[in-house]
Amino acid sequence: MRFSANLPPVPLLTCEPIPHGMPAHPAPDVTIRLPRVFATLESRLLSTLLRRASQRGDDVEWMRRHDELTGLPNRVAFLERVRALRRRNVAGSLAVIDLDHFKMLNDRHGHSVGDAVLRTIAARLQATVTADVVVARYGGEEFVLFIPGSADRARALLDRLQTVIRQPVECEALTISVTASAGVSALP
């Protein structure tokens, strides 16, 4: 299912010339129709969002199951995939990675830098894992993984990921050092 928007453009505001002899400002008894202005703004915003979604080729299902910032699967998609693997009796481990001091990074350097760091770390995680590993952005600065196989495989992968995460991130003429706390647990 794809979005398609064939909505006519809606003018933001319409102005009429002030008749000669009328004051340039509205009289106190003139009602300004703000709800109409807000409805117009809302219509334009919806039209823009639908057009952008259609242009990117995104569909509703992809947007529902993926994190917009990183492109990784989100919590919903992660849980669905892990449940499906567990129903097929796939053994494995769950790992959680939480970027350290991320709020301080956002406060010090701004959200654009924080977003760039999240995108970079997400790309590094995705590039490091094999195709059978499920990696997702679980929330804020948290990433989760389902790693099929033994607990030893999971621990080894988590060690590699920690090394990849610690590599400096270059962003907006800054070099950002990132560390993460991580844990892994074998599923019974």
Side-chain angles (χ1 to χ4, degrees), residues 51-167:
R51 184 177 62 251
R52 285 181 184 166
S54 178
Q55 287 170 349
R56 287 190 327 219
D58 292 344
D59 63 34
V60 174
E61 186 60 22
W62 190 92
M63 291 168 56
R64 184 181 79 79
R65 300 171 48 86
H66 290 80
D67 175 61
E68 184 178 5
L69 180 66
T70 64
L72 289 176
N74 61 18
R75 178 187 327 219
V76 170
F78 178 78
L79 293 173
E80 286 175 358
R81 290 180 66 188
V82 170
R83 284 184 190 118
L85 290 168
R86 297 297 287 165
R87 277 194 297 271
R88 293 191 341 238
N89 295 319
V90 175
S93 300
L94 286 178
V96 177
I97 299 172
D98 185 75
L99 302 183
D100 296 330
H101 313 293
F102 194 75
K103 181 182 180 330
M104 188 171 66
L105 182 139
N106 266 339
D107 291 346
R108 179 178 291 160
H109 300 293
H111 290 280
S112 64
V113 171
D115 289 351
V117 167
L118 288 171
R119 282 190 297 270
T120 300
I121 297 300
R124 289 177 183 176
L125 295 175
Q126 193 68 45
T128 304
V129 302
T130 54
D132 63 334
V133 174
V134 181
V135 62
R137 182 172 177 207
Y138 203 71
E141 68 275 6
E142 298 171 338
F143 298 91
V144 292
L145 298 92
F146 177 80
I147 307 159
S150 71
D152 289 337
R153 177 187 184 214
R155 282 190 291 275
L157 177 59
L158 211 51
D159 287 343
R160 276 198 319 274
L161 293 174
Q162 285 280 28
T163 301
V164 167
I165 290 169
R166 281 192 299 268
Q167 294 173 1

